[in-house]
Amino acid sequence: MKAKRQVNFELLRILCMYMIVIGHCLFHGRVTAKLGYGTVNYFLSYFVQSFSVVHVNCFVMIGGYFAVGSTFRSARVLRFWRQVSFYALLIFALYGCLASVSLSDAVKALFPISAYNYWFASVYMGLLLLTPFIGMLATRLTKAQYRWLLVCLTIFFSVNHMIFRVNSYGSYSGRELPWFIFLALLAGYIRLHTEQKKKYFYCGLAGYVLSSLAILASVYLSVELGAEDISYFLNYNSPLALLSTACLFLAVKNMPWKETRADGLIRKIAGAAFGVYLIHDNYLIRYLVWDTFRASKVALTHWAVIYAAVVAVVVYAACTCLELLRQKLFTACGERYEKTALCRKERELCGKIDEIFTKTMA
């Protein structure tokens, strides 16, 4: 994979994480909840959400895109677990010094993946463990077989839910493992069976904009018609959200990019993106973060959504700096840890697991 295409996806990773942060500001900061229907800020809030509903889908697809055709490494899963556990335990310890915590909080901190401390991390861990099998399926199917598989899964996980609003096939809102598997397969198809053409960048970008506007229109019509669940079209697995995701991802894949001096910085910031999520959206402090910036207090002002966008930048930057510090800390400690017997045992175990997967996938 050429470096310039990798930078394209790193930019998408940064954009998606910023979308997630501003979405949390509007939701956990209780901004949207306080906006009056029909106001400019009400429209702007759902405008932002309609264009950013792709964030989680694209984040998953980036991982699926680069996993297809690559060799499984159990060390990657271990690194993922360590990062999640580090922040879960650290935030629990710091929060416990300032406020009361329960036994349930302690369990969630000790077992953040299994206890669903971070919903995305829990589901994504399942995807990581299944990645070798997803990759094997993606590379062994013919293009026609692959296409029909995606059509069937789209009907099961997206269209069926749109019609009947029931969890018939294990994906209700797009936060479930079956949906993540589908997204990884979709990313694999785009990587293996779509050509690299500049026109796809413009077509994909136009499709993303039109799909996002259609989501906004659907939300507006739901309000006008008195529908009970106006947020349905903002679900990750709604057909319009899926179309918007696929179009944006295709545009990024084909985005023309010339190498610049900023590429290294972009990669560094993108490499800290997941840490941004783990820091600011821990359930113990997620409301505290936004209350610190008085997000809900400015919800009724004329500049509420603009304020949320600026605050999201500040939170993103602060969390990025903290994550980069963690990476340096882990690197420094890792040099000493590599000299220990425990590290040697760990490498041996990872090597055996990787060998098993290599033989199984052959």
Side-chain angles (χ1 to χ4, degrees):
M1 188 66 61
K2 294 182 181 181
K4 64 179 183 180
R5 287 177 60 185
Q6 291 179 337
V7 173
N8 290 354
F9 285 108
E10 296 306 283
L11 286 170
L12 178 61
R13 196 190 305 272
I14 295 171
L15 174 63
C16 288
M17 187 50 64
Y18 175 72
M19 289 177 173
I20 290 172
V21 175
I22 191 174
H24 287 162
C25 181
L26 293 172
F27 183 73
H28 297 313
R30 299 180 291 276
V31 176
T32 303
K34 291 189 175 183
L35 298 178
Y37 173 69
T39 63
V40 173
N41 278 321
Y42 183 91
F43 173 81
L44 286 176
S45 173
Y46 278 105
F47 180 87
V48 170
Q49 293 180 65
S50 298
F51 274 80
S52 62
V53 70
V54 300
H55 47 47
V56 169
N57 287 350
C58 283
F59 213 89
V60 174
M61 287 183 66
I62 292 172
Y65 183 89
F66 289 104
V68 170
S70 63
T71 304
F72 176 78
R73 290 287 181 264
S74 55
R76 182 191 174 199
V77 178
L78 188 59
R79 276 197 310 271
F80 179 85
W81 174 83
R82 280 176 174 158
Q83 184 182 11
V84 176
S85 297
F86 173 81
Y87 282 118
L89 288 169
L90 178 63
I91 293 174
F92 169 78
L94 294 177
Y95 185 82
C97 295
L98 303 173
S100 61
V101 290
S102 65
L103 178 61
S104 175
D105 294 326
V107 172
K108 287 183 178 181
L110 289 170
F111 306 98
I113 301 295
S114 301
Y116 212 64
N117 193 331
Y118 299 95
W119 78 263
F120 179 87
S122 298
V123 180
Y124 197 76
M125 173 62 86
L127 181 66
L128 282 178
L129 295 173
L130 293 176
T131 293
F133 306 100
I134 295 172
M136 180 177 65
L137 179 63
T139 54
R140 296 187 182 184
L141 288 173
T142 66
K143 183 177 181 179
Q145 291 170 335
Y146 206 152
R147 184 168 58 246
W148 280 110
L149 172 62
L150 292 177
V151 169
C152 291
L153 293 180
T154 300
I155 294 172
F156 294 156
F157 296 151
S158 184
V159 177
N160 181 78
H161 178 52
M162 176 188 69
I163 298 173
F164 299 104
R165 306 289 179 90
V166 292
N167 186 14
S168 300
Y169 299 101
S171 182
Y172 187 78
S173 64
R175 295 171 175 243
E176 302 83 13
L177 182 57
W179 181 250
F180 277 32
I181 294 173
F182 166 71
L183 291 174
L185 286 169
L186 177 59
Y189 183 88
I190 291 175
R191 177 172 182 172
L192 296 173
H193 300 297
T194 60
E195 299 179 11
Q196 186 76 17
K197 292 184 178 180
K198 190 175 181 179
K199 68 176 183 179
Y200 289 159
F201 167 70
Y202 299 105
C203 292
L205 198 59
Y208 164 66
V209 173
L210 292 174
S211 300
S212 299
L213 290 175
I215 293 172
L216 179 62
S218 300
V219 172
Y220 175 78
L221 289 175
S222 297
V223 175
E224 288 295 306
L225 297 175
E228 294 182 3
D229 185 12
I230 65 171
S231 65
Y232 165 72
F233 296 100
L234 297 173
N235 284 351
Y236 305 139
N237 66 333
S238 72
L240 287 176
L242 174 60
L243 178 61
S244 183
T245 299
C247 288
L248 179 59
F249 198 85
L250 189 64
V252 170
K253 176 181 181 292
N254 293 275
M255 182 172 68
W257 182 267
K258 294 182 180 180
E259 293 186 20
T260 67
R261 295 180 179 179
D263 288 2
L265 179 61
I266 291 171
R267 292 191 185 96
K268 181 175 289 188
I269 295 174
F274 186 59
V276 173
Y277 163 71
L278 295 175
I279 296 170
H280 89 275
D281 201 43
N282 184 285
Y283 76 100
L284 289 173
I285 63 170
R286 61 163 60 116
Y287 295 108
L288 178 62
V289 168
W290 305 116
D291 288 344
T292 301
F293 289 95
R294 301 172 64 84
S296 64
K297 300 296 183 182
V298 300
L300 300 181
T301 66
H302 295 297
W303 41 286
V305 176
I306 296 176
Y307 180 79
V310 173
V311 167
V313 172
V314 174
V315 171
Y316 192 108
C319 292
T320 297
C321 292
L322 291 174
E323 167 59 13
L324 291 176
L325 285 174
R326 181 204 66 85
Q327 291 178 10
K328 287 187 176 181
L329 175 64
F330 271 42
T331 299
C333 294
E335 293 176 357
R336 295 186 178 182
Y337 177 67
E338 287 177 357
K339 300 177 182 178
T340 64
L342 180 60
C343 182
R344 289 193 293 271
K345 292 292 184 181
E346 179 187 298
R347 284 200 295 264
E348 290 176 6
L349 178 60
C350 288
K352 290 179 180 178
I353 294 174
D354 293 343
E355 185 179 354
I356 291 173
F357 271 102
T358 300
K359 290 180 178 179
T360 303
M361 299 300 117

